[in-house]
Amino acid sequence: MNRGQRGKLAMATAALGIGLLSVTGCGYINPQQTSTQYSASDGTRTDLGPLQLRNFLIVSDGENKPGRVIGAVYNSSSSDVKLTISGAGGSQTQVPVKKNSYTLLNDSTPEAILSDTGAKPGSVLEVTIFEDGTSQKAKFKVPVMDSTIVDYKKYLPTPEPTSSSTATPSSTTSPAAPGTATGTATPSSTAGH
């Protein structure tokens, strides 16, 4: 190898080294995002005793209207635990969680409803959470969302039916279209005569 070839090889090696340093230097200076735990969606997360609350949020139509709590509650203890969530104006809901299991509030029946949200959609509400397994209590900030995001529309609390809004059977029938039979037959008082 002559002197010119050695010079080219040295320059190529130096260029490769600088390139590798510039590529790997970002990882050295900046923290790795994969090593940081965070809530990857709209909801928030916290731990309370044996319970792990994940992706918690409240879906509501307005500040003084009912709000449904959705998210997941994991129970890592060997006994059943009840989570109590207290919101604005004394509103409260309870969520039972079986031992070494979880409850998805998105699918739970009955639903976890706070009678008064106490915060406008788009804001953050501070609720009090309590678990009866180790009697721990804490404050927890939860975002309030509305049906602007279509996926949350199905979680809006439905109003309780009132006596005036329940359907009552009607004694009148609508006229049938010409050439069709009516849907109900009534016994005749003169049948058999």
Side-chain angles (χ1 to χ4, degrees):
M1 193 182 274
N2 66 22
R3 193 172 192 183
Q5 290 174 331
R6 280 191 293 229
K8 286 180 184 178
L9 182 61
M11 287 178 42
T13 305
L16 181 63
I18 291 171
L20 287 173
L21 281 174
S22 67
V23 171
T24 59
C26 292
Y28 179 74
I29 297 168
N30 298 322
Q32 295 177 349
Q33 187 61 39
T34 56
S35 64
T36 306
Q37 291 189 8
Y38 65 98
S39 294
S41 71
D42 295 326
T44 54
R45 57 178 279 150
T46 193
D47 296 334
L48 182 69
L51 299 181
Q52 300 166 356
L53 286 64
R54 299 295 183 259
N55 198 26
F56 257 61
L57 59 96
I58 298 171
V59 182
S60 177
D61 267 338
E63 184 173 1
N64 298 317
K65 295 189 176 181
R68 180 174 176 184
V69 181
I70 61 172
V73 184
Y74 299 90
N75 180 3
S76 61
S77 73
S78 58
S79 57
D80 295 349
V81 176
K82 190 180 298 180
L83 171 69
T84 303
I85 305 164
S86 302
S91 63
Q92 180 174 299
T93 188
Q94 292 185 331
V95 179
V97 188
K98 298 282 186 195
K99 62 183 176 181
N100 295 315
S101 186
Y102 62 92
T103 298
L104 296 176
L105 299 179
N106 307 20
D107 304 324
S108 68
T109 304
E111 300 169 349
I113 304 285
L114 293 172
S115 59
D116 182 2
T117 301
K120 293 178 183 176
S123 64
V124 176
L125 173 68
E126 186 174 72
V127 297
T128 302
I129 52 176
F130 172 77
E131 60 86 16
D132 66 352
T134 57
S135 298
Q136 292 193 32
K137 188 177 193 177
K139 299 280 187 188
F140 180 42
K141 292 187 178 182
V142 182
V144 179
M145 308 297 279
D146 61 8
S147 60
T148 304
I149 299 174
V150 179
D151 293 338
Y152 294 139
K153 188 171 189 169
K154 63 185 173 184
Y155 298 117
L156 282 172
T158 54
E160 294 293 323
T162 60
S163 59
S164 63
S165 66
T166 56
T168 55
S170 175
S171 60
T172 60
T173 57
S174 59
T180 61
T182 58
T184 57
T186 56
S188 171
S189 60
T190 59
H193 294 163

